[in-house]
Amino acid sequence: MLPPVHLDSQSQTPLYRQLFEQLRDLIHSGHLARGEKLPATRELAGSLGLNRATVAAAYELLESEGMLKGHVGRGTFVEGASETAGRVDWERAAPAEPVALPTLSLPEGGISFASSRPADDLFPLEEFRRTCREVTEGAGIQSILQLGSPAGYAPLRQWLLRQCEGARETDDILITSGCQQALDLLQRVLIQSGDTVAVEDPVYPGLRNVFASAGARLAGVAVGADGIEMDALEQTLRRERPRAILVSPNFQNPTGATIPLAARHTLIRMAREAGAILIENDIYGPLCYEGDAIPALKELDASGDTVQIGSFSKIAFPGLRVGWIVGPRPLIARLTQAKQWCDLHSDQLSQAVLHRFAESGRLEQHRLNAVKAGRARLSAVLKACRRHLPQGSRWTQPRGGMSLWVRLPEPLDAGELLPRAERAGANYLPGKVFAVSRAQPGALRLSFAGLPPARIEAGLAILGEVFTKELERVRAVRRLDSAPALV
């Protein structure tokens, strides 16, 4: 007799798959023994209230794995557990998370606007090699190659604290393996499952996903031309009472928007009145191409409570994976403990090389070169947008950073058009990748900093042609649909 089987019609797992998994488990556990006859598909479907095809699909899966054998005229019998019986079912033990990023596939020589990263053709390789030699041939190389402090390489920590305009005597710093680990450590220490976190919408998916995977409830706050919208944030603070607010005040990813000075003061005040922890992601701050830099939230916050994330990845070498967190000493102590449990400490050689690169003045010279190149590339992408995108398109006007945000005219869907654009030779990231709670199907991010102006122009020409042709096709169909019938 078949042991009880319980199926959930509300589950996202198809019923045939649920039945397959439960019968497989019964065979693995020995509750269904080798040679035992299973009910006919019609009989089992009737007893479970299923369609016969559902049961047949489950049986076929089991037979394909060698656990069942059908005999014409006799029925279906248990063959026994497959060769994988007793082994870990890794598909179930480590279920895949929904993948936010689309699969990108460009032909050789294609032009990609998909990655927000510095241009590797601007890397000062000779200066970097010289820096590596100075570090590896120096007297302190033995200690650099040994285990170090979980808080990071001391000379680099001291240098960074001196550079941080908003750092106070009550602050400390932790070196992390890039900005992403900084975000992960902050959610581990500050956020419990069920806590609400206010984030920009749209937002960098790595930020969204690390907090969502920890069980945080994300409250998306709209981003406008001047960054996160203060009226919307005020409503969110009143309604949701979030544990923390995460913002990128300078050249936000993906929109490129910057929060003005007055709004920064308002943001700090609102966070304090709401009792929310304010976390500033300022990794793009040094890449200001136009106008004067605006003081960071960390610098403006008289209370000293703002937590700031920084990184070398956007202004130097992202492959070295060196970032940091500056914040009140008790928080940094707790974050340091959490990091020690995770990886003991970040790679010391990378830290030592970057410290030497910075202390020698080579980092600042490289930053100035990157800013000069970034200014030309930003100008190129804005001109190319005006020249090639279809009429009715809108885009942001960043003053720095690496990306801008495009909204195509309705009813174009950037996600649906991505495969077509890639076949034509250019790609981007569609707006759905960055969405928290506000769908923007016509939106996309163009990351321009890694491309020279000529490639930017060529890439936008490709995208503009794809978008324009689709818009013309859709409008032609609409005209036909709206034409009066001929009688």
Side-chain angles (χ1 to χ4, degrees):
M1 182 176 178
L2 186 69
V5 172
H6 304 286
L7 305 178
D8 180 6
S9 61
Q10 303 301 314
S11 172
Q12 293 184 352
T13 302
L15 289 170
Y16 82 90
R17 186 78 191 184
Q18 294 182 49
L19 180 59
F20 158 74
E21 291 174 352
Q22 293 193 41
L23 292 176
R24 179 192 59 188
D25 291 346
L26 290 171
I27 294 171
H28 281 167
S29 65
H31 287 90
L32 286 176
R34 182 180 179 84
E36 190 168 344
K37 185 178 181 180
L38 291 188
T41 54
R42 187 186 302 278
E43 178 188 348
L44 185 55
S47 65
L48 295 177
L50 299 174
N51 186 292
R52 184 181 177 187
T54 300
V55 178
Y59 278 16
E60 287 174 9
L61 273 177
L62 290 163
E63 191 164 354
S64 70
E65 295 198 4
M67 287 182 273
L68 295 185
K69 180 70 173 177
H71 299 273
V72 177
R74 293 175 53 205
T76 302
F77 296 83
V78 176
E79 283 285 289
S82 68
E83 293 181 0
T84 61
R87 294 172 57 185
V88 175
D89 182 347
W90 289 110
E91 291 294 330
R92 301 180 71 191
E97 292 287 337
V99 178
L101 293 178
T103 300
L104 301 175
S105 178
L106 268 180
E108 186 175 353
I111 301 169
S112 179
F113 293 95
S115 183
S116 178
R117 64 180 187 178
D120 51 14
D121 62 310
L122 297 178
F123 288 163
L125 297 182
E126 266 315 305
E127 290 83 351
F128 179 73
R129 292 188 182 101
R130 186 188 321 149
T131 304
C132 290
R133 288 194 298 269
E134 291 170 358
V135 171
T136 56
E137 295 172 6
I141 186 62
Q142 290 90 346
S143 62
I144 291 170
L145 297 178
Q146 261 295 358
L147 284 173
S149 166
Y153 183 58
L156 178 61
R157 293 174 63 231
Q158 293 161 7
W159 186 88
L160 286 169
L161 277 174
R162 289 196 300 271
Q163 300 303 307
C164 181
E165 298 285 352
R168 291 162 173 77
E169 292 183 0
T170 54
D171 282 331
D172 203 350
I173 188 169
L174 169 67
I175 304 297
T176 64
S177 297
C179 169
Q180 192 63 36
Q181 188 186 49
L183 293 168
D184 183 60
L185 290 171
L186 286 166
Q187 68 84 7
R188 289 171 188 253
V189 170
L190 296 177
I191 307 301
Q192 297 181 3
S193 180
D195 282 349
T196 298
V197 178
V199 299
E200 297 152 325
D201 189 4
V203 75
Y204 162 58
L207 184 156
R208 178 197 62 207
N209 294 345
V210 76
F211 282 88
S213 65
R217 181 174 174 274
L218 299 182
V221 184
V223 175
D226 290 332
I228 191 169
E229 294 181 354
M230 293 300 141
D231 289 344
L233 177 60
E234 186 174 30
Q235 294 176 16
T236 298
L237 294 176
R238 187 184 312 114
R239 183 178 63 249
E240 306 288 352
R241 302 191 63 81
R243 167 75 169 154
I245 307 168
L246 281 94
V247 293
S248 299
N250 293 312
F251 323 124
Q252 190 254 1
N253 182 8
T255 67
T258 294
I259 302 176
L261 179 60
R264 296 184 187 214
H265 285 292
T266 300
L267 172 58
I268 293 167
R269 175 184 56 77
M270 288 197 301
R272 294 297 155 252
E273 290 176 354
I277 298 167
L278 184 56
I279 301 172
E280 174 184 35
N281 183 5
D282 196 31
I283 63 174
Y284 293 100
L287 296 177
C288 181
Y289 309 144
E290 298 178 10
D292 296 328
I294 304 174
L297 299 175
K298 181 69 178 169
E299 183 179 355
L300 296 172
D301 184 3
S303 73
D305 286 334
T306 294
V307 180
Q308 186 183 71
I309 297 172
S311 174
F312 286 112
S313 292
K314 305 304 179 184
I315 58 170
F317 314 110
L320 298 187
R321 308 305 305 138
V322 178
W324 60 88
I325 307 172
V326 178
R329 193 168 286 115
L331 170 63
I332 297 299
R334 181 66 186 88
L335 291 168
T336 302
Q337 185 182 46
K339 180 168 172 59
Q340 186 173 16
W341 294 341
C342 175
D343 65 359
L344 297 184
H345 61 77
S346 295
D347 169 49
Q348 286 207 124
L349 183 57
S350 293
Q351 294 180 63
V353 167
L354 280 169
H355 171 250
R356 178 61 190 150
F357 192 72
E359 191 179 46
S360 66
R362 296 165 195 156
L363 173 64
E364 177 59 14
Q365 184 57 55
H366 173 54
R367 188 192 71 82
L368 293 174
N369 293 338
V371 166
K372 180 180 179 180
R375 185 180 298 117
R377 293 169 191 218
L378 173 59
S379 175
V381 76
L382 292 173
K383 289 178 182 176
C385 284
R386 288 192 292 271
R387 189 177 294 120
H388 298 294
L389 292 183
Q391 187 175 5
S393 300
R394 294 173 294 151
W395 51 89
T396 54
Q397 304 280 330
R399 296 192 306 109
M402 294 185 169
S403 303
L404 59 80
W405 190 245
V406 174
R407 293 180 180 86
L408 299 175
E410 294 183 351
L412 296 186
D413 186 312
E416 291 181 359
L417 288 169
L418 177 58
R420 200 178 308 176
E422 289 196 311
R423 289 193 295 271
N427 70 5
Y428 52 84
L429 286 183
K432 64 182 180 181
V433 170
F434 307 92
V436 179
S437 56
R438 299 166 64 246
Q440 298 187 59
L444 60 102
R445 185 189 75 177
L446 294 177
S447 292
F448 57 84
L451 296 169
R455 296 279 283 172
I456 291 171
E457 168 70 19
L460 260 298
I462 293 170
L463 296 180
E465 183 176 5
V466 170
F467 299 153
T468 300
K469 282 185 176 179
E470 176 62 10
L471 188 61
E472 291 172 349
R473 186 193 69 80
V474 170
R475 288 176 174 171
V477 169
R478 285 185 170 182
R479 284 194 297 271
L480 288 174
D481 289 344
S482 63
L486 297 177
V487 295

